[in-house]
Amino acid sequence: MAQSIASGSSSNGLGYSSKREIATEELVVEKSGGKAGGKGEDELEIRIEFGGGLHLLFSQQPRHTVHLPRHTPSPAASSDPSPEPTASEAADNHPATMRDLIRHMKRTILSEREEMFGEGDGVRPGILVLINDADWELEGELEYELKDRDEVVFISTLHGG
Amino acid sequence: MAPTPCQLCHTARALVKRPKTGQQVCKTCFFEVFETEVHNTIVEGNGIFRRGERVAIGASGGKDSTVLAHVLTMLNHRYDYGLDLFLLSIDEGITGYRDDSLETVKQNQVEYGLPLKILSYNDLYGWTMDRIVEQVGRRNNCTFCGVFRRQALDRGAAQLAVDHIVTGHNADDIAETVLMNIMRGDVARLGRCTAVTTQSEDTIKRSKPFKYAYEKEIVMYAYFKKLTYFSTECIYSPDAYRGHARVFLKDLEAIRPSAIIDIIHSGESFVLDQNTQKGMKAMQTCLRCGYMSSNDLCKACALLQGLESGMDRSALHQKQGGDTAAPSGHRTIPKYERHAHVPVSAEAGGGAEGIDTPLKALAIS
Ligand SMILES: [Zn+2]
Ligand SMILES: [Zn+2]
């Protein structure tokens, strides 16, 4: 799984290019659920890449892979324990969306200064998001339903001219 | 969600939503419209370039100047502007920040085949930003850096004998500067900061071909073209005031993307009345180094004298007496000389800087 990063070319259009960084760059696989790097049947594997200096907030690593549950309990269902055992448990779970991914990232891989990354449920204005190379504004932004092996890129435009 | 087709070619999948227009475009059409819009900014009116002009691209290694170097090289070729392009970089002497970004500029030099000139604060002023910060602390260092950089760019341009400096300032940057000038009450700069090109008699012409390019599109362009750029915050940067203006602007843009262009239009619509114009000092040359100045000493010489005297405050507040010789033992800035390149075609007498240019709209009183 931990496929090696195509190195050599430092051109990535993401705003980091020093050789030092490329040399030490490794896929950071978040250790969750006990098994380091392992992915359960009920999990999605999502590749994340940071640009524009955002990796500084994520343990200085521009690339991460996270594992996210395919379904997340809907906020309404979890905060409102209805007395009757729900007829369709699946209905109370929603497929994981970008909103869930961002929440997951803040909990697991964000290493510092959360306010530089997140705002409310989403990301700070000035941070661009691409899902599989498409502007997330075309993909439903926070409502986008993640698929296994989706690639999500976050690029800060907030500094650096 | 079903993939959205491109609204321009109607065939490929749309990958970008343009902030200025809301248009959803594919990668190929995005490159096309982005490059064409920059070309339009360049040729609008009388055009910012003259054939045969020697043009320096102020290159920091950051996204804007990297994309500018790429796009300008391409447009110069595509539309046959007939420009001689150079990369001009300033090494402020900030360990771990400028070192890395200069590496990126050197890479760009190779990629675009443009001659590169690097001028360092250390060579020019005898001080690196690291040492300046050591002496003045982190409060005022941006003042030093701004004054020193501006003059260093002009001096580098003079050494390259270029006629024209272009910088990567984009629409978001310009809107931010309009806001800053309003908040500072610097009305005189309002109109000027929105001009694509500024030039006064003694200064080297400066232009911003990305005036109408949104930051988002520049970053998307760099990403899709996989351009090499460097991005990190200046370690001494916290210009907190500007930072707030920037965040404020991004918040506005998130709600209504046209806010950026609207603010630029507001800046353009301000006009100086005659009295304000008369109150502005005429330009002369610095009696010590020969650089353009509105006082006997230019800002850089005044700041340098402060540093050399070991003052911890901005020397700008110093009284400028008739004493124009540097105190003995002090470092000074080399004499500024322009070896202006004579363009093939006669330069149109564009001597007007924003101040002289009669602007539209109403005068503010
Ligand atoms: Zn298209
Ligand atoms: Zn001077």
Side-chain angles (χ1 to χ4, degrees), chain A residues 14 16 46-55 58 62 98 101-103 105 109 117 122-124 126-131 136 142 151-157, chain B residues 219 223 229:
Chain A
L14 280 167
Y16 56 88
I46 309 292
R47 315 281 175 85
I48 295 170
E49 188 160 6
F50 296 108
L54 268 184
H55 68 288
F58 293 85
M98 279 297 292
L101 176 66
I102 290 168
R103 188 184 302 130
M105 288 166 67
I109 57 174
F117 176 68
V123 294
R124 237 180 131 181
I127 293 179
L128 304 183
V129 186
L130 293 109
I131 302 168
W136 81 329
L142 290 172
E151 295 183 357
V152 184
V153 176
F154 297 87
I155 312 174
S156 173
T157 66
Chain B
V219 173
Y223 176 74
Y229 72 93

Side-chain angles (χ1 to χ4, degrees), chain B residues 30-250:
Chain B
F30 169 63
F31 292 151
E32 178 78 30
V33 287
F34 181 84
E35 290 156 6
T36 304
E37 282 183 8
V38 175
H39 170 67
N40 291 341
T41 307
I42 287 170
V43 297
E44 199 187 20
N46 293 323
I48 63 175
F49 297 129
R50 301 283 165 266
R51 226 186 146 66
E53 227 172 26
R54 291 164 66 89
V55 178
I57 301 165
S60 67
K63 58 183 164 45
D64 301 304
S65 58
T66 298
V67 174
L68 181 61
H70 177 89
V71 171
L72 206 50
T73 306
M74 171 196 287
L75 294 178
N76 187 31
H77 185 75
R78 183 184 295 167
Y79 295 100
D80 190 25
Y81 296 153
L83 305 177
D84 259 340
L85 296 173
F86 300 85
L87 294 171
L88 174 57
S89 290
I90 306 303
D91 180 358
E92 297 94 342
I94 303 173
T95 311
Y97 164 70
R98 198 43 98 198
D99 312 350
D100 291 348
S101 52
L102 282 175
E103 280 310 309
T104 310
V105 178
K106 286 175 191 162
Q107 247 172 290
N108 292 340
Q109 172 192 16
V110 177
E111 285 163 29
Y112 308 129
L114 301 178
L116 164 67
K117 173 150 195 77
I118 301 175
L119 235 76
S120 76
Y121 283 7
N122 197 32
D123 290 346
L124 204 49
Y125 309 112
W127 288 76
T128 61
M129 275 312 290
D130 285 344
R131 282 194 52 229
I132 292 173
V133 170
E134 226 171 80
Q135 175 150 333
V136 307
R138 294 200 174 205
R139 261 185 73 89
N140 289 316
N141 70 77
C142 287
T143 308
F144 283 84
C145 203
V147 169
F148 282 176
R149 186 184 303 106
R150 189 177 175 83
Q151 190 168 135
L153 271 177
D154 274 337
R155 284 168 178 275
Q159 288 179 23
L160 285 169
V162 304
D163 313 296
H164 197 161
I165 302 173
V166 291
T167 55
H169 292 99
N170 59 44
D172 296 59
D173 294 330
I174 294 170
E176 183 184 306
T177 306
V178 170
L179 282 182
M180 296 289 290
N181 284 333
I182 290 174
M183 294 189 296
R184 278 195 293 241
D186 197 344
V187 179
R189 283 212 173 82
L190 262 177
R192 198 170 18 159
C193 75
T194 61
V196 176
T197 295
T198 54
Q199 184 177 32
S200 56
E201 274 169 54
D202 308 317
T203 55
I204 291 171
K205 188 160 66 156
R206 283 181 187 244
S207 298
K208 302 163 185 161
F210 282 167
K211 174 181 174 185
Y212 297 110
Y214 272 58
E215 194 150 58
K216 171 179 172 181
E217 298 202 305
I218 292 174
V219 173
M220 288 288 197
Y221 190 92
Y223 176 74
F224 285 134
K225 289 270 183 184
K226 304 231 173 295
L227 301 184
T228 308
Y229 72 93
F230 186 82
S231 168
T232 185
E233 248 168 314
C234 169
I235 51 174
Y236 301 134
S237 81
D239 183 347
Y241 204 57
R242 182 171 280 275
H244 284 302
R246 193 161 189 72
V247 170
F248 172 64
L249 203 63
K250 289 291 170 201

Side-chain angles (χ1 to χ4, degrees), chain A residues 76-95:
Chain A
S78 53
S79 65
D80 167 36
S82 59
E84 50 206 296
T86 159
S88 54
E89 225 181 344
D92 289 332
N93 285 337
H94 65 264

